[in-house]
Amino acid sequence: TWRRGRYEDAIGVLERAAELAVSEDEIADVANSRSYVLELAGRPGDAWQVLVEAADRVGPDRHDLLDSQAAILSLLAGRSREAQEAVARVLAAHEGDRDSLELLVRFRVDYAEVFALAMLGRFDDATRIATDASTFIADHPEAHMPPELALLGRVLADTWSGHLDRAQADAVLIEQ
């Protein structure tokens, strides 16, 4: 229903699912979905509240999913430092090993970090992570995502850092 713009219907279904969620996996998964739909519905405060409440109900093993969603919400709100902090929490829980992250969490962490670093003026770091993310996506066809998606942040970082030739080359790849 949310894909058709019927956010309130989707929110209602997810609220009922939240009431029925018992296991930590169910709680985290439903909170993740609720937060996403609430953000789409233009209710970012409610989206954040759902994540906070779920984090209080689940153990550290399920915080990755919630923190990766928090990183995306922070990024969408233009709060690059908070996005970077959420990414850092996820990576710290895995001793910096991105390859140990669940696929969705990895995509979110990479995406949020690239844009946050670019917004913070750390262009070389953003470019490096975007390049690694593009390779990771290409190596994981089960993700059903084009590797060029990871290049969006690299275009931004290269544009802001004055490397317009590299930005243009990546933009051509994205358009194909």
Side-chain angles (χ1 to χ4, degrees):
T1 54
W2 65 267
R3 290 184 184 181
R4 294 185 185 104
R6 296 174 37 205
Y7 302 121
E8 293 308 315
D9 291 345
I11 291 167
V13 169
L14 290 167
E15 285 172 351
R16 287 191 295 283
E19 293 169 4
L20 299 173
V22 178
S23 72
E24 290 188 2
D25 285 343
E26 292 169 344
I27 292 166
D29 288 344
V30 171
N32 175 64
S33 296
R34 282 180 67 204
S35 174
Y36 179 75
V37 174
L38 285 163
E39 176 67 27
L40 290 175
R43 296 171 50 189
D46 291 336
W48 277 100
Q49 187 61 37
V50 164
L51 293 179
V52 169
E53 290 172 3
D56 288 341
R57 296 181 59 204
V58 301
D61 290 346
R62 296 308 296 160
H63 281 215
D64 289 353
L65 181 64
L66 302 174
D67 281 337
S68 69
Q69 177 67 357
I72 296 296
L73 290 179
S74 296
L75 186 65
L76 293 173
R79 297 191 306 249
S80 53
R81 290 193 197 292
E82 288 179 23
Q84 184 61 36
E85 290 167 4
V87 166
R89 284 193 303 273
V90 172
L91 293 175
H94 294 267
E95 299 177 357
D97 182 12
R98 291 174 189 270
D99 291 334
S100 69
L101 301 175
E102 293 178 21
L103 203 56
L104 175 61
V105 172
R106 169 72 188 262
F107 291 148
R108 285 179 176 170
V109 163
D110 287 349
Y111 186 86
E113 186 166 35
V114 167
F115 279 92
L117 289 171
M119 291 166 65
L120 293 168
R122 295 177 51 194
F123 306 122
D124 291 340
D125 291 334
T127 299
R128 178 183 48 77
I129 292 168
T131 302
D132 292 346
S134 180
T135 301
F136 179 80
I137 292 171
D139 291 344
H140 290 83
E142 70 275 17
H144 305 290
M145 294 178 69
E148 295 78 18
L149 180 65
L151 299 180
L152 292 172
R154 194 165 79 182
V155 169
L156 181 67
D158 283 341
T159 299
W160 287 353
S161 66
H163 296 288
L164 301 180
D165 54 331
R166 291 191 325 212
Q168 182 178 15
D170 282 343
V172 169
L173 287 174
I174 293 168
E175 287 178 346
Q176 294 176 354

